[in-house]
Amino acid sequence: MNIYDIAKLAGVSIATVSRVVNDSAKVSGKTRAKVLGVMEEVGYIPNIFARGLGLNSMRTIGILCPDISDIYMANAVSYLEKNLNKHGYDCILGCSGHRQEEKEKYIKLLLSKRIDTLVLVGSTYAGKGDNPAETEYLRLAAKETPIFMINAYVPGENIYCAYADDFQAAYEVTAAYIRRGKKRILFLSNARSFSGDQKRAGYEKALIDNAYPVDGALIFYSEHSIHDTRDMLLLNKKLEFDGVLATEDSLAIAAVKYAKTKNLAIPAELSVVGFNNSRLSICCEPELTTIDNKGEILCAVTVEQMISLLEEKVQPKEKISVPCEIIKRNTTDF
């Protein structure tokens, strides 16, 4: 039994059945009752394709993230799905990784599913630096469907971005370290991305504003595991620091393990701050001071903008910046 059978039994068009399925106001009460009666009688359960027929909408949102095993990404997808389901939208998830060709391939794949909009979670989709060629594939995709980006910014028509104010958060933490007398503050990062660049810019601006040098030796990149990052810090005998600003909580925990191995007192001899306020931040000892970059709020704002565009035809804002919050725990004394 399919939508065509229901239309035939009810004596209406398939577009009318689709409108009933989608609770459209364009169907009279009498016709609606007739179609619903037939559906109940035969036990018909509509699928997403039946819902989309005649309405030019599948009420389905594509969500793309680089890696669903990442805690930040997993939380964001969960927030998005729950919010979208409240509005009657289903989701299709893709995990693209970070390679350019894979990101482009997955976007083409999701667009082929007749999605209503596409949501991209993570800074990787904004490319590295200011090279517009890296994000041209997004502007091309936006000609087919609206694109919403979370924790990234790419200028372009039909592209709408919501991101945390990572610059200001990194600036405030670095300035707080300086006020507490820290002399050598390590910037520990695992990615050169829109978000990573904003954090580094905030860190460097705070140093400059306080007449501190921007020392390249104190900008340390590691894409490895917690233990490997700890070991890399230990092996670098010339690297000395008394404060750490890490762009992820996992990297901050690597710094905590480094301090434990070196018998450095936390926070007296080494202070550590992470990013994301993930569950990891309360699983380590001491519990981690971290920056809450408001992922749940970013997702809620994105869904609100999306629904306004799809159902009310209200033009969303091109970009929305959400303030971060420093969650003070036991790895700092400020």
Side-chain angles (χ1 to χ4, degrees), residues 128-142:
K128 300 174 182 178
D130 298 321
N131 182 4
E134 289 186 344
T135 54
E136 186 59 27
Y137 73 106
L138 296 181
R139 283 178 281 274
L140 291 174

Side-chain angles (χ1 to χ4, degrees), residues 63 65 68 72-82 93 121:
I63 301 176
C65 71
I68 195 62
Y72 180 88
M73 305 295 169
N75 285 337
V77 170
S78 176
Y79 297 144
L80 287 168
E81 185 177 29
K82 288 176 182 177
L93 174 66
V121 182

Side-chain angles (χ1 to χ4, degrees), residues 72 123 151 164-172 174 187-191 193-206 221 245-249 251 274-276 291 293 324:
Y72 180 88
S123 294
N151 213 30
D165 192 351
D166 294 330
F167 174 95
Q168 186 62 32
Y171 184 99
E172 290 177 6
T174 306
F187 180 80
L188 183 55
S189 178
N190 63 355
S193 63
F194 171 80
S195 177
D197 289 347
Q198 292 298 302
K199 294 166 185 173
R200 177 171 171 175
Y203 159 82
E204 292 182 349
K205 184 67 165 58
Y221 284 90
L245 172 58
T247 61
E248 300 280 350
D249 285 340
L251 291 173
F275 244 99
N276 292 350
I291 296 168
N293 51 3
C324 298

Side-chain angles (χ1 to χ4, degrees), residues 177-178 181-185 212-213 218 242-243:
Y177 274 154
I178 293 170
K182 300 299 181 182
K183 300 298 183 183
R184 293 180 61 79
I185 303 162
Y212 271 49
L218 290 173
D242 52 11

Side-chain angles (χ1 to χ4, degrees), residues 4 13 22 40 43 45 67 78 80 83 91 106 124 161 167 189 209 219 232 243 268 278 305 312 323-324 329 334:
Y4 301 99
S13 68
N22 284 279
E40 183 177 359
I45 300 175
D67 181 6
S78 176
L80 287 168
N83 278 287
C91 302
Y106 268 88
T124 185
C161 307
F167 174 95
S189 178
D209 286 353
I219 298 173
M232 289 170 66
S278 69
Q305 294 269 92
E312 301 171 17
C324 298
R329 296 195 180 101
F334 56 72

Side-chain angles (χ1 to χ4, degrees), residues 200-247:
R200 177 171 171 175
Y203 159 82
E204 292 182 349
K205 184 67 165 58
L207 294 177
I208 293 168
D209 286 353
N210 288 276
Y212 271 49
V214 177
D215 186 347
L218 290 173
I219 298 173
F220 194 95
Y221 284 90
S222 172
E223 297 181 2
H224 301 283
S225 68
I226 291 173
H227 286 146
D228 287 344
T229 300
R230 175 204 60 190
D231 294 343
M232 289 170 66
L233 292 172
L234 289 168
L235 288 170
N236 195 326
K237 303 297 184 182
K238 296 181 179 179
L239 187 61
E240 296 182 0
F241 49 93
D242 52 11
V244 176
L245 172 58
T247 61

